[in-house]
Amino acid sequence: MVQRKKACLYIASALIPLGVFVAALFALGAVPFGNESVIISDAKYQYIDFAVQWRSVLTGENDLFYTLSKTMGGNMLSLAAYYLLSPLNLIFLFATAENIPYLFTAVIAAKISLCGLTFFH
């Protein structure tokens, strides 16, 4: 019985933050409940471009060690290490331009849920 209660607490610690996030998306009319997006500020001008570049590296279209997408070209390894090496970013492999807002929101939701779980643990 104690194990079952502990398992329920672990599940709740992940689902409660996720529920709050989904409720906020619904209240704000954000993707997937409306036309607004959580992609603002740095996410709009940096992270999304990095995710698209990461997808092209993972699919073999570009090289991890040199990219012309940077100003004068350069190494993408430090950029990948800082922004992109979260296993959750593998979801961007399935991204197309029109799916980016949905997948970006899914990654944020997963990270928020995992933060709650980690904090409880």
Side-chain angles (χ1 to χ4, degrees):
M1 191 64 159
V2 172
Q3 284 295 100
R4 188 174 186 168
K5 182 179 179 182
K6 193 171 184 178
C8 288
L9 289 173
Y10 273 99
I11 291 169
S13 71
L15 293 181
I16 290 171
L18 180 63
V20 170
F21 180 67
V22 170
L25 290 177
F26 183 74
L28 296 172
V31 169
F33 303 108
N35 293 329
E36 298 299 318
S37 176
V38 294
I39 302 173
I40 58 171
S41 192
D42 284 348
K44 184 175 184 179
Y45 297 109
Q46 283 184 327
Y47 193 82
I48 298 301
D49 291 338
F50 297 160
V52 171
Q53 180 69 18
W54 186 237
R55 182 189 182 283
S56 70
V57 167
L58 293 175
T59 58
E61 297 170 20
N62 282 314
D63 187 34
L64 177 64
F65 299 107
Y66 190 80
T67 180
L68 288 170
S69 295
K70 293 174 86 172
T71 306
M72 296 294 289
N75 191 341
M76 191 179 162
L77 190 58
S78 61
L79 183 72
Y82 188 73
Y83 283 101
L84 303 170
L85 287 181
S86 167
L88 297 174
N89 287 337
L90 290 175
I91 196 169
F92 289 115
L93 276 172
F94 307 106
T96 59
E98 53 275 350
N99 287 344
I100 291 279
Y102 297 105
L103 295 177
F104 185 73
T105 305
V107 167
I108 290 174
K111 287 179 179 181
I112 288 172
S113 184
L114 289 172
C115 282
L117 179 65
T118 304
F119 188 72
F120 176 74
H121 181 71

